[in-house]
């Protein structure tokens, strides 16, 4: 059977606006998917809905689609997206209105049932992660455009594949293969050289968006349209497979994919074949993303220039101690960021930043804590006093938490183009999620060879990201000898040494020999999630690159 060609045109809310047209005109496709819903996006859409009950969906998608709806219809390309966010029915109706204005005969369907906000008092948004069979029902019902709310990112691929090939629940290996393909596609150009550790190996100034040629057996080839920028190789696909995952089991509502079974091989220029994927029954529970208002946050960054940086920082802390003690915020955090250099050639490179962040449930508290006291130091503090921007009254911030409900407690409904409502049954067979037993490690390199102190990134790639308050850091080797060294060298203890922030946090190492990779999860390093802005890099996007910059004793044979 001819493979189903599924492309991606969006990896987040705000991605390249022209990508939908680029993908429609760049080559042959059957289905185009767009992913818009990060954890933070759900909070943004919830705040939009507070101002306008008719909002709650990704408005940028509607503008993209209006520009390309006729083109998609002419080419027979179906579009599947989670841009419906908190209001998939509302977005579906806006699409119908746009199609009517444009005179394009488009059949629109949507999926609902994920909204559990009413069951979580005080939440701005609480949504279950649904699987792909609601999407499949919409496509089988004749839809040209399918809009969903909160589904798993991979469901945007598993749904079309199940509809096209006639897969049913329980075909674990086929579904797992589609989940892996969907995970590679979901972040758009991260599969084609974007945000890639070895980006200098190709032209990534404007990488093309990826597509997957999915077979009836669940195997696939990851590629991109001819002539587009970026590149697809085993490394770019490995990096994305490790992104925001953890161990050998990758759980979803339809299937648990065994990432430890994935095998990759180069299948020609810009083509990587994924095969060998095994699947298991999904867990009995669905994940629910709960977004709440966490309180209010205020910040000021003092610029410290030239000599005596540490003493200047101490002075500011002492001067603000009384003001912070009079009306103490619930949380006070100081961070001295040493960006300064000795004998610097510019003032900016001679300067460090001292950041003060305060949080409290009361906006007045965070406003009083900084607004007056910090600015009153302007003529009475360290030499060269200035700040990046004056503090304000404080801004609200959100917190994210994951909850779980039985699959049977959520009714997924596919609303077909003719208005019929089809209830999508949960998986009949489930399996509690368990960690995969640690696989055997490769033989270590022969001992006693010469070593050199050098950055880890000379022999390993990495990609990192966030899941709620936790971070994951995937690290992979590009040669078998480098893997033999990495698997024994980069233990949980060594990771804690190289990433001091993790020393008092739970760190778990997962070994994926087929990918020559290690995947670390660091519990709690991001506090209450990205919206809380707990640390300098609130989504841990660069945590892997920091790890690659750390120095170890590396065998010279690998360098």
């Amino acid at each position: 059977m001819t493979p189903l060609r599924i492309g991606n045109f969006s990896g987040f809310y705000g991605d390249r606006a022209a990508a939908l047209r680029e993908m429609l005109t760049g080559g042959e496709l059957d289905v185009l998917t767009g992913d818009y819903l990060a954890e933070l996006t759900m909070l943004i859409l919830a705040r939009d809905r507070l101002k306008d009950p008719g909002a709650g969906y990704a408005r940028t998608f509607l503008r993209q689609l209006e520009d390309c709806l006729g083109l998609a219809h002419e080419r027979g390309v179906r579009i599947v997206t989670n841009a419906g966010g908190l209001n998939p029915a509302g977005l579906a109706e806006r699409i119908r209105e746009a199609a009517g204005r444009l005179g394009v005969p488009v059949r629109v369907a949507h999926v609902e049932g994920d909204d559990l906000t009413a069951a979580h008092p005080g939440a701005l948004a609480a949504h279950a992660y649904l699987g792909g069979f609601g999407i499949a029902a919409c496509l089988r019902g004749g839809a040209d455009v399918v809009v969903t709310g909160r589904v798993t990112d991979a469901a945007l691929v598993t749904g079309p594949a199940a509809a096209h090939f006639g897969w049913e629940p329980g075909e674990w290996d086929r579904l797992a293969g589609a989940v892996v393909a969907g995970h590679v596609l979901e972040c758009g150009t991260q599969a084609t050289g974007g945000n890639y550790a070895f980006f200098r190996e190709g032209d990534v100034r404007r990488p093309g968006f990826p597509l997957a040629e999915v077979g009836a057996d669940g195997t696939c080839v990851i590629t991109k349209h001819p002539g587009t920028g970026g590149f697809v190789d085993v490394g770019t696909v490995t990096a994305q497979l490790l992104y925001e995952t953890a161990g050998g089991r990758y759980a979803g509502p339809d299937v648990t994919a065994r990432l430890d079974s994935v095998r990759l091989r180069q299948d020609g220029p810009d083509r990587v074949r994924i095969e060998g994927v095994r699947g298991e029954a999904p867990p009995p529970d669905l994940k629910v993303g709960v977004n709440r208002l966490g309180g209010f946050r205020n910040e000021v960054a003092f610029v410290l220039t030239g000599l005596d940086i540490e003493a200047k920082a101490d002075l500011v802390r002492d001067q603000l101690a009384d003001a912070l003690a009079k009306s103490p915020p619930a949380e006070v955090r100081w961070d001295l960021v040493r960006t300064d250099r000795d004998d610097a050639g510019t003032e900016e490179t001679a300067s460090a930043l001292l950041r003060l962040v305060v949080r409290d449930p009361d906006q007045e508290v965070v406003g009083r804590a900084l607004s007056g006291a910090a600015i009153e130091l302007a003529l009475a503090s360290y030499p060269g006093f200035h700040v990046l921007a004056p503090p304000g009254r404080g801004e609200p911030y959100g917190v994210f938490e994951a909850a779980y409900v039985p699959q049977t407690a959520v009714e997924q409904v596919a609303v077909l183009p003719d208005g019929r409502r089809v209830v999508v049954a949960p998986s009949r067979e489930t399996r509690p999620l368990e960690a995969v037993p640690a696989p055997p490690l490769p033989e270590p390199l022969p001992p006693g060879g010469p070593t050199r102190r050098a950055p880890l990134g000379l022999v390993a790639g990495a990609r990192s990201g966030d899941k709620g308050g936790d971070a994951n850091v995937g690290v992979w080797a590009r040669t078998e000898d480098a893997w033999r060294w990495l698997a024994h060298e980069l233990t949980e203890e060594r990771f804690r040494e190289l990433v001091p922030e993790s020393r008092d946090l739970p760190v778990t190492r997962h070994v994926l020999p087929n990918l020559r990779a290690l995947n670390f999860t660091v519990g709690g390093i991001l506090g209450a999630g990205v919206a809380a802005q707990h640390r300098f890099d609130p989504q841990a996007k660069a945590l892997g690159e920091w790890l690659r910059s750390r120095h170890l004793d590396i065998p010279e044979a690998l360098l």
Side-chain angles (χ1 to χ4, degrees):
M1 184 178 288
T2 303
L4 182 69
R5 291 173 62 86
I6 304 177
N8 171 280
F9 67 89
S10 176
F12 69 101
Y13 191 12
D15 210 342
R16 188 188 306 168
L20 180 53
R21 178 169 289 275
E22 290 173 8
M23 290 300 286
L24 286 170
T25 58
E28 293 298 317
L29 286 172
D30 300 301
V31 179
L32 258 177
T33 65
D35 179 16
Y36 289 79
L37 299 185
E39 292 169 0
L40 179 61
T41 310
M42 298 298 281
L43 179 64
I44 293 170
L45 295 177
R47 293 178 64 180
D48 286 349
R49 192 172 58 175
L50 288 176
K51 301 172 187 174
D52 176 6
Y57 54 82
R59 298 176 189 270
T60 54
F61 168 70
L62 189 57
R63 293 196 292 270
Q64 288 174 288
L65 190 63
E66 287 179 339
D67 179 54
C68 297
L69 195 57
L71 183 60
H73 177 67
E74 291 169 11
R75 293 180 172 249
V77 177
R78 291 174 155 185
I79 295 174
V80 178
T81 178
N82 59 17
L86 279 60
N87 188 7
L91 178 56
E93 186 56 34
R94 299 292 85 75
I95 294 170
R96 293 187 190 98
E97 293 171 358
R101 289 195 305 271
L102 297 168
V104 181
V106 171
R107 295 162 295 184
V108 184
H110 72 275
V111 178
E112 57 187 43
D114 59 300
D115 191 348
L116 303 182
T117 306
H120 293 266
L124 291 176
H127 291 255
Y129 289 72
L130 303 181
F133 280 101
I135 295 170
C138 291
L139 293 170
R140 288 168 177 164
D144 303 304
V145 178
V146 180
V147 174
T148 77
R150 177 78 277 184
V151 295
T152 64
D153 302 332
L156 301 176
V157 170
T158 59
H164 181 77
F165 295 117
W167 297 343
E168 297 294 338
E171 299 189 54
W172 306 131
D173 290 351
R174 292 182 174 91
L175 290 168
V179 163
V180 169
H183 183 63
V184 174
L185 293 190
E186 68 172 83
C187 287
T189 53
Q190 280 197 171
T192 58
N195 299 356
Y196 181 53
F198 305 105
F199 66 96
R200 292 187 294 177
E201 295 182 355
D203 184 354
V204 295
R205 288 174 295 177
R206 190 179 175 85
F209 278 68
L211 63 94
E213 299 171 353
V214 182
D217 60 354
T219 61
C220 74
V221 172
I222 304 298
T223 184
K224 63 186 185 70
H225 283 326
T228 55
F231 58 101
V232 179
D233 66 16
V234 169
T236 66
V237 174
T238 298
Q240 184 56 27
L241 281 174
L242 297 174
Y243 181 66
E244 295 182 349
T245 61
R249 287 189 166 99
Y250 184 53
D254 300 323
V255 65
T256 294
R258 289 293 297 263
L259 296 184
D260 57 339
S261 67
V262 175
R263 295 185 181 276
L264 307 177
R265 63 180 173 88
Q266 201 72 35
D267 198 44
D270 292 321
R271 294 177 63 83
V272 172
R273 182 169 293 278
I274 301 178
E275 53 196 356
V277 185
R278 291 188 290 110
E280 300 169 343
D285 295 334
L286 294 179
K287 178 180 176 181
V288 180
V290 182
N291 286 278
R292 304 181 188 277
L293 183 64
F296 295 87
R297 178 185 185 278
N298 208 355
E299 175 179 350
V300 61
F302 302 91
V303 183
L304 316 175
T305 304
L307 305 177
D308 305 319
I309 296 294
E310 298 282 352
K312 290 172 179 173
D314 289 341
L315 175 59
V316 175
R317 291 191 188 98
D318 289 344
Q319 289 179 306
L320 286 178
D322 288 343
L324 292 172
K326 287 177 184 176
S327 182
E331 180 182 345
V332 177
R333 177 167 175 163
W334 293 93
D335 288 296
L336 178 57
V337 184
R338 294 301 300 265
T339 53
D340 55 303
R341 304 175 193 169
D342 290 337
D343 194 20
T346 66
E347 182 178 332
E348 188 170 2
T349 55
S351 300
L353 296 177
L354 177 65
R355 296 175 65 240
L356 169 60
V357 177
V358 296
R359 290 186 175 86
D360 196 88
D362 188 341
Q363 187 175 23
E364 291 298 317
V365 170
V366 299
R368 285 196 304 268
L370 293 189
S371 297
I375 298 306
E376 288 172 3
L377 297 180
L379 303 179
S381 189
Y382 60 87
F385 180 98
H386 64 289
V387 298
L388 289 184
R393 295 180 57 246
E395 295 293 330
Y397 69 90
V399 298
F400 175 90
E401 62 186 30
Y404 294 87
V405 298
Q407 287 214 26
T408 53
V410 176
E411 185 175 81
Q412 182 178 187
V413 178
V415 183
L416 305 187
D418 60 7
R420 285 183 296 137
R421 300 174 63 85
V422 177
V423 175
V424 179
S427 179
R428 292 187 297 273
E429 182 182 346
T430 62
R431 172 178 175 167
L433 192 64
E434 300 174 337
V436 173
L441 297 181
E443 285 294 316
L445 292 178
T451 63
R452 175 155 45 99
R453 196 78 175 166
L456 173 63
L458 295 184
V459 296
R463 178 166 285 166
S464 55
D466 64 316
K467 280 293 181 186
D470 301 342
N472 97 286
V473 185
V475 186
W476 78 94
R478 302 211 287 176
T479 67
E480 192 59 33
D481 281 349
W483 169 237
R484 292 169 62 190
W485 172 79
L486 182 72
H488 292 273
E489 175 66 21
L490 195 56
T491 60
E492 291 173 1
E493 293 73 21
R494 183 56 55 86
F495 184 94
R496 286 190 172 97
E497 292 174 12
L498 298 174
V499 182
E501 284 181 81
S502 69
R503 285 178 180 168
D504 298 322
L505 298 172
V507 175
T508 305
R509 185 178 95 149
H510 309 278
V511 182
L512 300 167
N514 286 355
L515 300 177
R516 294 195 295 228
L518 307 171
N519 213 343
F520 294 86
T521 56
V522 187
I525 193 171
L526 303 179
V530 55
Q533 297 185 25
H534 178 74
R535 67 190 294 272
F536 168 68
D537 174 16
Q539 289 181 281
K541 296 292 189 182
L543 189 57
E545 285 301 292
W546 178 29
L547 178 66
R548 291 181 69 234
S549 75
R550 300 307 309 270
H551 288 221
L552 300 86
D553 293 322
I554 299 175
E556 286 192 356
L558 302 181
L559 299 170

